[in-house]
Structure formats: structure tokens, C-alpha cells
């Protein structure tokens, strides 16, 4: 659930084109609550709140608590630039976990990606999450030759982070460099056990397939969207492009999903989602 487009950062690779000048969209708190209810009724095991920066949304804590009240696990994908006390409180609840992105152990290189001098704040909040024993996974996105990615991984391990993954740039949104956003940026598992809901209510098979809307959650129930001719046509389009055996799912640390099936509901040994995203999300400080 992409609950906002607003973000303190303007990451060079952000697939969502998020930033300080973007708003929370047209989905209201009651719209999100209804969508959570419908997802729970469909058997959803986990919801991930993403953005933009989800911690900037004023109702994030209540939405998290609502999801937990419906028996749905929660993950928050945050840039960890600033975490309000109320958000730390709900992040510390059972059945809640946290994910973030990290780019370098060098503050200047990190700032070149995020366009803000936030390296120390993110690093400090990663350490705070570890101190609080909040389940945490961190994705290191490889954006350029010579990036201190290996050093970033080593720094994260020194901070006590055990779930660390890496991924490549996905050319969607501001991540577009040499080719336009297209099916070639996807892994082919889109819509397989997951959907993404935008701040406007648009429903996509994946946060990366933003041009492939299959309906709007403000206008139709999720069950109707998922069984609609539009959804069926989109699934067929993906099958036609990727064939019977899609490419390997995106690395779990690159985005809001996880696991070998690019699915946010995978669980290693019952402990929680495997470690953003088999998900896709390199563009995620945004």
C-alpha cells in the first residue's frame, strides 16, 4: 500500500518520482481501512506500507494497528530519516517489521543518491531499530560503478543487521536512464500473490508496473478488481511476454516484495517475511 507520494528525499533512482512537493494522494484513511479489510477477507497475510515515505503519513500508526487487528502482518518500508515516537511504538509491536535502503558507508556518496545529507540519521535509526529488536531488512542498491556497496554491507553488519540484500537499478520513474519503463524492467511474477495500491487508489500488479492499472480501489472492491477482465488481460500480457517460466524473481532487498516468488508474504521458518521489495524496489528511499 503506497500510502503517500511525499518524501523528504529526491533519490535519483526513485521509481515513484516521490519528493517533498508530492502529496498524500486521494485515498483517505477510511479508504485505506476499507482496502485493508478487503485484503484481509481475501486471505492477505502481510501488508507493506510504502511511499514516498510512509512515516510522513499522519495516519500510518492507526493503519498499522488496524491491519494487525485484522490478523495481517505489517512491514513498513521507510528511508529512516525521521521516525516519530508514535511510529517507533507501533513498529515495536508483534507482527510488525521494518525495511529500508542503504547506498554507501560514505556520507557524501549516500547524499549523491538521496540528494539530502541524511546518511547519519538513517544510520542512527537503523541502529535504533536493531536496539529495539525490530525485525529489519536492508537493501543495498547498486547504482553506479565504483559505488561503495560492499563497504555499505560491511557497515550494516557491524550495526547488527543480519538481513541484507543487493539489487540493480530498475529503470522506472527517475530510475530511467537508457530505456523507458517497460515489461523488460519486470521479473514476470507481477500480480502473483500480491498487488500494489497507489495513493490515488489505482491498483497495479507490482509497484514497478505503474502503467498497468487494473482498477481503482476507491471505485471497486479488491475482489472485483482481481477477477475483472482487465486483470485477466494484464495477466495474459505478462504471460505472453515472459512465457511459462518468468525470469528469476527480483532480489528481496530491492523492493517491497520478498521471496523466491516475488511475493510479499513469504516466511522463512515462520519468523516473518524473508529478506523491500524476490521483491523489486531499488528505487526506495523515495
Amino acid at each position: 500500500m503506497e500510502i503517500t507520494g511525499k518524501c523528504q528525499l529526491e533519490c535519483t533512482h526513485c521509481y515513484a518520482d516521490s519528493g517533498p512537493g508530492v502529496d498524500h494522494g486521494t485515498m483517505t484513511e477510511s479508504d485505506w481501512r476499507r482496502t485493508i479489510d478487503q485484503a484481509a477477507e481475501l486471505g492477505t497475510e502481510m501488508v507493506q506500507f510504502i511511499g514516498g515515505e510512509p512515516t510522513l503519513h499522519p495516519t500510518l500508526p492507526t493503519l498499522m494497528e488496524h491491519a494487525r487487528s485484522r490478523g495481517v502482518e505489517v512491514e513498513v518500508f521507510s528511508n529512516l530519516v525521521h521516525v516519530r515516537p508514535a511510529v517507533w511504538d507501533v513498529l515495536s509491536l508483534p507482527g510488525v517489521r521494518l525495511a529500508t535502503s542503504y547506498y554507501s558507508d560514505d556520507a557524501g556518496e549516500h547524499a549523491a543518491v538521496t540528494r539530502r545529507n541524511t546518511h547519519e540519521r538513517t544510520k542512527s535509526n537503523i541502529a535504533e531499530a536493531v536496539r529495539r529488536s525490530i525485525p529489519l531488512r536492508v537493501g543495498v542498491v547498486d547504482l553506479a560503478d565504483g559505488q561503495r556497496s560492499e563497504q555499505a554491507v560491511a557497515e550494516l553488519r557491524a550495526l547488527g543487521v543480519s538481513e541484507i540484500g543487493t539489487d540493480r537499478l530498475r529503470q522506472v520513474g527517475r530510475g530511467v536512464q537508457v530505456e523507458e519503463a517497460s515489461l523488460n524492467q519486470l521479473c514476470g511474477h507481477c500480480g502473483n500473490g500480491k498487488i500494489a495500491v497507489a495513493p490515488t487508489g489505482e491498483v497495479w500488479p507490482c509497484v514497478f508496473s505503474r502503467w498497468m492499472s487494473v482498477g481503482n480501489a476507491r471505485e471497486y472492491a479488491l475482489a472485483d478488481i482481481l477477477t475483472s477482465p482487465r486483470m485477466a488481460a494484464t495477466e495474459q500480457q505478462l504471460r505472453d511476454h515472459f512465457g511459462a517460466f518468468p525470469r528469476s524473481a527480483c532480489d528481496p532487498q530491492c523492493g517491497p516484495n520478498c521471496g523466491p516468488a516475488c511475493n510479499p508474504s513469504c516466511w522463512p521458518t515462520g519468523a516473518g517475511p524473508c529478506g523491500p521489495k524476490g521483491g523489486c524496489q531499488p528505487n526506495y528511499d523515495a
Side-chain angles (χ1 to χ4, degrees):
M1 295 186 175
E2 190 172 304
I3 60 175
T4 182
K6 182 178 286 295
C7 185
Q8 310 99 319
L9 310 180
E10 295 181 279
C11 295
T12 57
H13 60 301
C14 178
Y15 67 77
D17 280 320
S18 300
V22 186
D23 60 27
H24 295 315
T26 52
M27 287 281 281
T28 65
E29 179 181 356
S30 61
D31 289 332
W32 286 117
R33 283 176 174 268
R34 184 180 65 253
T35 304
I36 291 169
D37 290 340
Q38 293 174 359
E41 290 165 3
L42 289 170
T44 297
E45 296 177 343
M46 192 269 277
V47 59
Q48 184 188 60
F49 293 105
I50 62 174
E53 172 50 39
T55 63
L56 294 179
H57 197 286
T59 65
L60 174 64
T62 59
L63 292 177
M64 293 171 64
E65 290 172 341
H66 184 67
R68 291 300 298 125
S69 74
R70 295 303 309 265
V72 177
E73 302 286 329
V74 169
E75 180 175 78
V76 176
F77 203 117
S78 168
N79 58 36
L80 290 183
V81 169
H82 176 70
V83 183
R84 291 173 284 143
V87 176
W88 279 124
D89 289 344
V90 290
L91 284 172
S92 301
L93 295 175
V96 176
R97 58 181 290 125
L98 184 61
T100 193
S101 297
Y102 206 66
Y103 304 104
S104 176
D105 67 328
D106 180 81
E109 188 172 64
H110 195 275
V113 174
T114 65
R115 296 176 178 171
R116 299 290 188 277
N117 293 316
T118 56
H119 177 263
E120 287 305 314
R121 294 171 67 179
T122 296
K123 179 180 174 181
S124 176
N125 282 322
I126 287 174
E128 178 64 12
V130 172
R131 186 189 72 80
R132 290 172 175 259
S133 299
I134 296 171
L136 170 69
R137 62 189 177 93
V138 183
V140 177
V141 185
D142 195 4
L143 301 173
D145 292 339
Q147 181 178 332
R148 293 177 60 84
S149 302
E150 291 184 6
Q151 292 87 344
V153 170
E155 183 170 60
L156 290 166
R157 294 200 185 284
L159 289 171
V161 180
S162 58
E163 277 191 66
I164 306 170
T166 59
D167 189 46
R168 64 178 176 84
L169 171 68
R170 307 287 168 175
Q171 301 200 42
V172 180
R174 285 198 297 268
V176 171
Q177 293 185 353
V178 297
E179 59 182 281
E180 292 299 314
S182 69
L183 292 175
N184 292 330
Q185 297 303 314
L186 308 179
C187 67
H189 296 271
C190 312
N192 181 13
K194 70 174 186 302
I195 54 171
V197 184
T200 58
E202 291 299 310
V203 177
W204 309 308
C206 166
V207 290
F208 279 163
S209 59
R210 307 174 79 82
W211 66 93
M212 303 176 73
S213 174
V214 294
N216 192 294
R218 297 184 71 212
E219 302 171 3
Y220 303 100
L222 289 184
D224 293 336
I225 292 173
L226 295 178
T227 56
S228 68
R230 197 168 170 184
M231 183 67 178
T234 299
E235 290 174 332
Q236 185 60 55
Q237 181 183 5
L238 290 165
R239 284 194 295 270
D240 290 345
H241 183 83
F242 291 100
F245 302 100
R247 67 187 62 165
S248 298
C250 314
D251 183 89
Q253 306 304 331
C254 69
N257 311 310
C258 61
C262 211
N263 186 325
S265 61
C266 58
W267 301 91
T269 64
C274 56
K277 58 201 145 104
C280 317
Q281 181 265 325
N283 313 343
Y284 240 132
D285 258 327

